[in-house]
Coordinates of all heavy atoms in Angstrom, one line a residue:
M1 N 84.2 92.7 111.1 CA 85.6 93.0 111.4 C 85.8 94.4 110.9 O 85.3 94.8 109.8 CB 86.5 92.0 110.7 CG 87.9 92.2 111.2 SD 89.0 90.9 110.4 CE 89.2 91.5 108.8
Q2 N 86.7 95.1 111.6 CA 87.1 96.5 111.1 C 88.6 96.4 110.8 O 89.3 95.7 111.4 CB 87.0 97.5 112.3 CG 85.6 97.7 112.7 CD 84.9 98.8 112.0 OE1 85.5 99.6 111.3 NE2 83.6 98.8 112.0
T3 N 89.0 97.2 109.8 CA 90.4 97.3 109.6 C 90.8 98.8 109.6 O 90.0 99.6 109.2 CB 90.8 96.7 108.2 OG1 92.2 96.8 108.0 CG2 90.0 97.3 107.1
V4 N 92.0 99.0 110.1 CA 92.5 100.4 110.1 C 93.9 100.4 109.6 O 94.7 99.5 109.9 CB 92.5 100.9 111.6 CG1 93.2 102.3 111.6 CG2 91.1 101.0 112.1
V5 N 94.2 101.3 108.8 CA 95.6 101.4 108.3 C 96.3 102.5 109.1 O 95.8 103.7 109.1 CB 95.6 101.7 106.8 CG1 97.1 101.9 106.3 CG2 95.0 100.6 106.0
D6 N 97.4 102.2 109.7 CA 98.2 103.1 110.4 C 99.0 103.9 109.4 O 100.1 103.5 108.9 CB 99.1 102.4 111.4 CG 100.0 103.3 112.2 OD1 100.1 104.5 111.9 OD2 100.6 102.9 113.2
L7 N 98.6 105.1 109.1 CA 99.2 105.9 108.1 C 100.6 106.4 108.5 O 101.4 106.9 107.6 CB 98.3 107.1 107.7 CG 97.0 106.7 107.1 CD1 96.1 108.0 106.8 CD2 97.2 106.0 105.8
T8 N 100.9 106.4 109.8 CA 102.3 106.7 110.2 C 103.3 105.6 109.8 O 104.5 105.8 109.8 CB 102.4 107.0 111.7 OG1 102.1 105.8 112.4 CG2 101.4 108.1 112.1
R9 N 102.7 104.4 109.6 CA 103.6 103.3 109.2 C 103.6 103.0 107.7 O 104.5 102.6 107.1 CB 103.2 102.0 109.9 CG 103.5 102.0 111.3 CD 103.2 100.6 111.8 NE 103.4 100.4 113.2 CZ 103.4 99.3 113.8 NH1 103.2 98.2 113.2 NH2 103.5 99.2 115.1
C10 N 102.4 103.2 107.1 CA 102.2 102.8 105.7 C 103.3 103.5 104.8 O 103.4 104.7 104.9 CB 100.8 103.2 105.3 SG 100.6 102.9 103.5
Q11 N 103.9 102.7 104.0 CA 104.9 103.2 103.0 C 104.4 103.1 101.6 O 105.2 103.3 100.7 CB 106.2 102.4 103.2 CG 106.8 102.5 104.6 CD 107.3 103.9 104.9 OE1 108.0 104.5 104.1 NE2 107.0 104.4 106.1
G12 N 103.2 102.7 101.4 CA 102.6 102.7 100.1 C 103.1 101.4 99.3 O 103.1 101.5 98.0
Y13 N 103.3 100.3 99.9 CA 103.7 99.1 99.2 C 102.6 98.5 98.4 O 102.9 97.7 97.5 CB 104.3 98.1 100.2 CG 105.6 98.4 100.8 CD1 105.8 98.8 102.1 CD2 106.7 98.4 100.0 CE1 107.0 99.2 102.6 CE2 108.0 98.7 100.5 CZ 108.1 99.1 101.8 OH 109.3 99.4 102.3
A14 N 101.4 98.8 98.8 CA 100.2 98.4 98.0 C 100.0 96.9 97.9 O 99.2 96.5 97.1 CB 100.3 99.0 96.5
Q15 N 100.6 96.2 98.7 CA 100.2 94.8 98.8 C 98.7 94.6 99.2 O 98.1 93.7 98.7 CB 101.1 94.0 99.8 CG 102.5 94.0 99.5 CD 102.8 93.3 98.2 OE1 102.3 92.2 97.9 NE2 103.5 93.9 97.3
C16 N 98.3 95.5 100.0 CA 96.9 95.4 100.5 C 95.9 95.7 99.3 O 94.9 95.0 99.2 CB 96.7 96.4 101.6 SG 97.2 98.1 101.2
V17 N 96.3 96.7 98.5 CA 95.4 97.0 97.4 C 95.4 95.8 96.4 O 94.4 95.5 95.8 CB 95.9 98.3 96.7 CG1 95.0 98.7 95.5 CG2 96.0 99.4 97.7
F18 N 96.5 95.2 96.2 CA 96.6 94.1 95.3 C 95.8 92.9 95.8 O 95.0 92.2 95.1 CB 98.1 93.6 95.2 CG 98.3 92.5 94.3 CD1 98.1 92.6 92.9 CD2 98.7 91.2 94.8 CE1 98.3 91.5 92.1 CE2 98.9 90.2 94.0 CZ 98.7 90.3 92.6
L19 N 95.8 92.6 97.1 CA 95.2 91.5 97.7 C 93.7 91.7 98.0 O 92.9 90.8 98.0 CB 95.9 91.0 99.0 CG 97.3 90.4 98.7 CD1 98.1 90.3 100.0 CD2 97.1 89.0 98.1
A20 N 93.3 92.9 98.3 CA 91.9 93.2 98.7 C 91.5 94.5 98.1 O 91.2 95.5 98.9 CB 91.8 93.2 100.2
P21 N 91.4 94.6 96.8 CA 91.1 95.9 96.2 C 89.7 96.4 96.5 O 89.5 97.6 96.3 CB 91.2 95.5 94.7 CG 91.1 94.1 94.6 CD 91.6 93.5 95.9
E22 N 88.8 95.6 97.0 CA 87.5 96.1 97.3 C 87.5 96.8 98.7 O 86.6 97.5 99.0 CB 86.5 95.0 97.3 CG 86.2 94.4 95.9 CD 85.1 93.4 95.9 OE1 84.3 93.4 96.8 OE2 85.2 92.5 95.0
V23 N 88.6 96.6 99.4 CA 88.6 97.2 100.8 C 89.6 98.4 100.8 O 89.4 99.4 101.4 CB 89.0 96.1 101.8 CG1 89.2 96.8 103.2 CG2 87.9 95.1 101.9
F24 N 90.8 98.1 100.2 CA 91.8 99.1 100.3 C 91.9 99.9 99.0 O 91.7 99.4 97.9 CB 93.2 98.5 100.6 CG 93.2 97.7 101.9 CD1 93.1 96.4 101.9 CD2 93.3 98.4 103.1 CE1 93.1 95.7 103.1 CE2 93.3 97.8 104.3 CZ 93.2 96.4 104.3
E25 N 92.3 101.1 99.1 CA 92.3 102.0 97.9 C 93.4 103.0 98.1 O 93.6 103.6 99.2 CB 91.0 102.7 97.9 CG 90.6 103.3 96.6 CD 89.2 104.0 96.7 OE1 88.4 103.5 97.5 OE2 89.0 105.0 96.0
L26 N 94.2 103.2 97.1 CA 95.3 104.2 97.1 C 94.7 105.6 96.8 O 94.0 105.7 95.8 CB 96.4 103.8 96.2 CG 97.3 102.8 96.6 CD1 98.1 102.2 95.5 CD2 98.3 103.3 97.7
H27 N 95.1 106.6 97.5 CA 94.7 107.9 97.2 C 96.0 108.8 96.9 O 96.8 109.0 97.8 CB 94.0 108.5 98.4 CG 92.7 107.9 98.6 ND1 91.6 108.1 97.9 CD2 92.3 106.9 99.5 CE1 90.6 107.4 98.3 NE2 91.0 106.7 99.3
G28 N 96.1 109.2 95.7 CA 97.1 110.2 95.4 C 98.5 109.5 95.5 O 98.6 108.3 95.6
E29 N 99.5 110.3 95.5 CA 100.9 109.8 95.4 C 101.3 109.2 96.7 O 102.1 108.3 96.7 CB 101.8 111.0 95.1 CG 101.6 111.5 93.7 CD 102.6 112.6 93.4 OE1 103.4 112.9 94.2 OE2 102.5 113.2 92.3
E30 N 101.0 109.8 97.8 CA 101.5 109.4 99.0 C 100.7 108.3 99.7 O 101.1 107.8 100.8 CB 101.6 110.6 100.0 CG 102.4 111.7 99.3 CD 103.1 112.6 100.3 OE1 102.6 112.6 101.4 OE2 104.0 113.3 99.9
G31 N 99.7 108.0 99.1 CA 99.1 106.9 99.7 C 97.8 107.3 100.2 O 97.3 108.0 99.6
L32 N 97.3 106.7 100.9 CA 96.5 105.6 101.3 C 95.6 106.2 102.3 O 95.8 107.3 102.6 CB 97.4 104.7 102.1 CG 98.4 103.9 101.3 CD1 98.2 102.5 101.7 CD2 98.2 104.1 99.8
L33 N 94.9 105.6 102.6 CA 94.0 104.6 102.3 C 93.2 104.3 103.5 O 93.5 105.0 104.5 CB 94.5 103.4 101.6 CG 95.2 102.4 102.4 CD1 94.6 101.0 102.3 CD2 96.6 102.2 101.8
Y34 N 92.4 103.5 103.4 CA 91.5 103.5 104.6 C 90.9 102.1 104.9 O 91.3 101.2 104.3 CB 90.5 104.5 104.4 CG 89.6 104.4 103.3 CD1 88.8 103.3 103.1 CD2 89.6 105.4 102.3 CE1 88.0 103.3 102.0 CE2 88.8 105.3 101.2 CZ 88.0 104.3 101.0 OH 87.2 104.2 100.0
A35 N 90.1 102.2 105.6 CA 89.7 101.7 106.8 C 88.2 101.8 107.0 O 87.6 102.9 107.0 CB 90.4 102.4 107.9
T36 N 87.8 100.7 107.1 CA 86.3 100.6 107.0 C 85.9 99.3 107.6 O 86.7 98.4 108.0 CB 85.9 100.7 105.5 OG1 84.5 100.6 105.4 CG2 86.5 99.6 104.7
A37 N 84.6 99.1 107.6 CA 84.1 97.8 108.0 C 84.3 96.8 106.8 O 84.2 97.2 105.7 CB 82.6 97.9 108.3
V38 N 84.7 95.6 107.2 CA 85.1 94.7 106.2 C 83.9 93.7 105.9 O 83.5 93.0 106.8 CB 86.3 93.8 106.6 CG1 86.7 92.8 105.6 CG2 87.5 94.8 106.9
P39 N 83.4 93.6 104.7 CA 82.3 92.7 104.4 C 82.8 91.3 104.7 O 84.0 90.9 104.5 CB 82.1 92.9 102.9 CG 82.7 94.2 102.6 CD 83.8 94.4 103.5
E40 N 81.8 90.4 105.0 CA 82.1 89.1 105.4 C 83.0 88.3 104.3 O 83.9 87.6 104.7 CB 80.8 88.3 105.6 CG 80.9 87.1 106.5 CD 81.4 87.4 107.9 OE1 81.1 88.4 108.5 OE2 82.2 86.5 108.4
D41 N 82.6 88.6 103.1 CA 83.3 87.8 102.0 C 84.7 88.4 101.7 O 85.4 87.9 100.9 CB 82.5 87.8 100.8 CG 82.2 89.2 100.2 OD1 82.6 90.2 100.8 OD2 81.7 89.2 99.1
Q42 N 85.1 89.4 102.5 CA 86.4 90.0 102.2 C 87.4 89.8 103.4 O 88.5 90.2 103.3 CB 86.3 91.6 102.0 CG 85.5 91.9 100.8 CD 86.3 91.6 99.5 OE1 87.5 91.9 99.4 NE2 85.6 90.9 98.6
V43 N 86.9 89.1 104.4 CA 87.7 89.0 105.6 C 89.0 88.2 105.4 O 90.1 88.7 105.8 CB 86.9 88.3 106.7 CG1 87.7 87.9 107.9 CG2 85.8 89.2 107.2
E44 N 88.9 87.2 104.7 CA 90.1 86.4 104.4 C 91.1 87.2 103.6 O 92.3 87.1 103.9 CB 89.8 85.1 103.7 CG 90.9 84.1 103.6 CD 91.6 83.8 105.0 OE1 90.9 83.8 106.0 OE2 92.8 83.7 105.0
R45 N 90.7 87.9 102.6 CA 91.6 88.7 101.8 C 92.2 89.8 102.7 O 93.4 90.1 102.5 CB 90.8 89.4 100.7 CG 90.4 88.5 99.6 CD 89.5 89.2 98.6 NE 89.3 88.4 97.4 CZ 89.9 88.5 96.3 NH1 90.9 89.4 96.2 NH2 89.7 87.7 95.3
V46 N 91.4 90.4 103.6 CA 92.0 91.4 104.4 C 93.1 90.8 105.4 O 94.1 91.4 105.6 CB 90.9 92.2 105.2 CG1 91.5 93.0 106.3 CG2 90.1 93.0 104.3
R47 N 92.8 89.6 105.9 CA 93.8 89.0 106.7 C 95.1 88.7 105.9 O 96.2 88.9 106.4 CB 93.3 87.6 107.2 CG 92.2 87.8 108.3 CD 92.0 86.4 109.0 NE 90.7 86.4 109.6 CZ 90.4 87.0 110.8 NH1 91.3 87.7 111.4 NH2 89.2 86.8 111.3
Q48 N 94.9 88.3 104.7 CA 96.1 88.1 103.9 C 96.9 89.4 103.6 O 98.1 89.4 103.6 CB 95.7 87.5 102.5 CG 95.2 86.0 102.6 CD 94.7 85.5 101.3 OE1 94.8 86.1 100.3 NE2 94.2 84.3 101.4
A49 N 96.1 90.5 103.4 CA 96.7 91.8 103.2 C 97.5 92.2 104.4 O 98.6 92.7 104.3 CB 95.7 92.8 102.8
A50 N 96.9 92.0 105.6 CA 97.6 92.4 106.8 C 98.9 91.6 107.0 O 99.9 92.2 107.4 CB 96.6 92.2 108.0
A51 N 98.8 90.4 106.6 CA 100.0 89.5 106.8 C 101.1 89.9 105.7 O 102.3 89.8 106.0 CB 99.7 88.1 106.6
A52 N 100.6 90.4 104.6 CA 101.5 90.7 103.5 C 102.2 92.1 103.6 O 103.2 92.4 103.0 CB 100.8 90.6 102.2
C53 N 101.6 93.0 104.4 CA 102.1 94.4 104.5 C 103.5 94.3 105.1 O 103.6 93.8 106.2 CB 101.2 95.2 105.3 SG 101.9 96.9 105.6
P54 N 104.5 94.8 104.4 CA 105.9 94.7 104.9 C 106.1 95.5 106.2 O 107.1 95.2 106.9 CB 106.7 95.3 103.8 CG 105.8 95.3 102.6 CD 104.4 95.4 103.1
V55 N 105.3 96.5 106.5 CA 105.6 97.3 107.7 C 104.5 97.2 108.7 O 104.3 97.9 109.6 CB 105.7 98.8 107.3 CG1 107.0 99.0 106.5 CG2 104.5 99.3 106.5
Q56 N 103.7 96.1 108.6 CA 102.6 95.8 109.5 C 101.7 97.1 109.8 O 101.5 97.4 111.0 CB 103.2 95.3 110.8 CG 103.7 93.9 110.7 CD 105.1 93.8 110.3 OE1 106.0 94.5 110.8 NE2 105.4 93.0 109.3
A57 N 101.3 97.7 108.8 CA 100.5 98.9 109.0 C 99.0 98.6 109.1 O 98.3 99.5 109.4 CB 100.8 99.9 107.8
I58 N 98.6 97.4 108.8 CA 97.2 97.1 108.8 C 96.8 96.4 110.1 O 97.4 95.4 110.5 CB 96.9 96.2 107.6 CG1 97.2 96.9 106.3 CG2 95.4 95.8 107.6 CD1 97.1 96.0 105.1
L59 N 95.9 97.1 110.7 CA 95.4 96.6 112.0 C 94.0 96.1 111.9 O 93.2 96.7 111.2 CB 95.4 97.8 113.0 CG 96.7 98.6 113.1 CD1 96.6 99.8 114.0 CD2 97.9 97.7 113.5
L60 N 93.8 94.9 112.5 CA 92.5 94.3 112.4 C 91.8 94.3 113.8 O 92.5 94.2 114.8 CB 92.6 92.9 111.9 CG 93.4 92.7 110.6 CD1 93.4 91.2 110.3 CD2 92.7 93.4 109.5
G61 N 90.6 94.6 113.8 CA 89.9 94.5 115.0 C 88.4 94.1 114.8 O 87.9 94.1 113.7
E62 N 87.9 93.6 115.9 CA 86.5 93.2 115.9 C 85.6 94.4 115.9 O 85.9 95.4 116.5 CB 86.2 92.3 117.0 CG 87.0 91.0 117.0 CD 86.9 90.3 115.7 OE1 85.8 90.2 115.1 OE2 87.9 89.8 115.2
G63 N 84.5 94.3 115.4 CA 83.5 95.4 115.5 C 82.8 95.8 114.2 O 83.2 95.3 113.2
Ligands
LIG1 FE1 100.6 100.6 103.1 FE2 101.1 98.2 103.8 FE3 99.2 98.6 102.1 S1 102.6 99.8 103.4 S2 99.9 100.4 101.0 S3 99.2 99.3 104.2 S4 100.6 97.0 102.1

């Protein structure tokens, strides 16, 4: 699975960093963060992070 953070939406709420720190990382004051292939053992955490993001900035895709 791949995850992408839509930086035009992200407001730096950091729920994603809290829920899946091995995947999401905050950079600097304004945020964020990225987007990478998600290891198998992190998929559920990333799904939770996507659901928890208040502005739906986390997009999930296959690949
Ligand atoms: Fe941004 Fe959503 Fe994470 S606003 S910091 S992608 S929880």
Side-chain angles (χ1 to χ4, degrees):
M1 190 174 81
Q2 298 269 344
T3 181
V4 175
V5 177
D6 181 346
L7 295 177
T8 66
R9 287 193 186 186
C10 175
Q11 301 290 316
Y13 287 109
Q15 295 301 310
C16 54
V17 181
F18 179 70
L19 288 164
E22 292 184 26
V23 176
F24 299 103
E25 200 178 328
L26 281 164
H27 293 282
E29 291 180 4
E30 304 203 343
L32 289 230
L33 73 124
Y34 57 62
T36 180
V38 179
E40 201 60 37
D41 65 351
Q42 295 292 311
V43 168
E44 190 50 40
R45 285 172 172 265
V46 169
R47 287 195 202 284
Q48 290 175 6
C53 176
V55 293
Q56 286 88 47
I58 299 172
L59 311 173
L60 306 178
E62 300 305 318

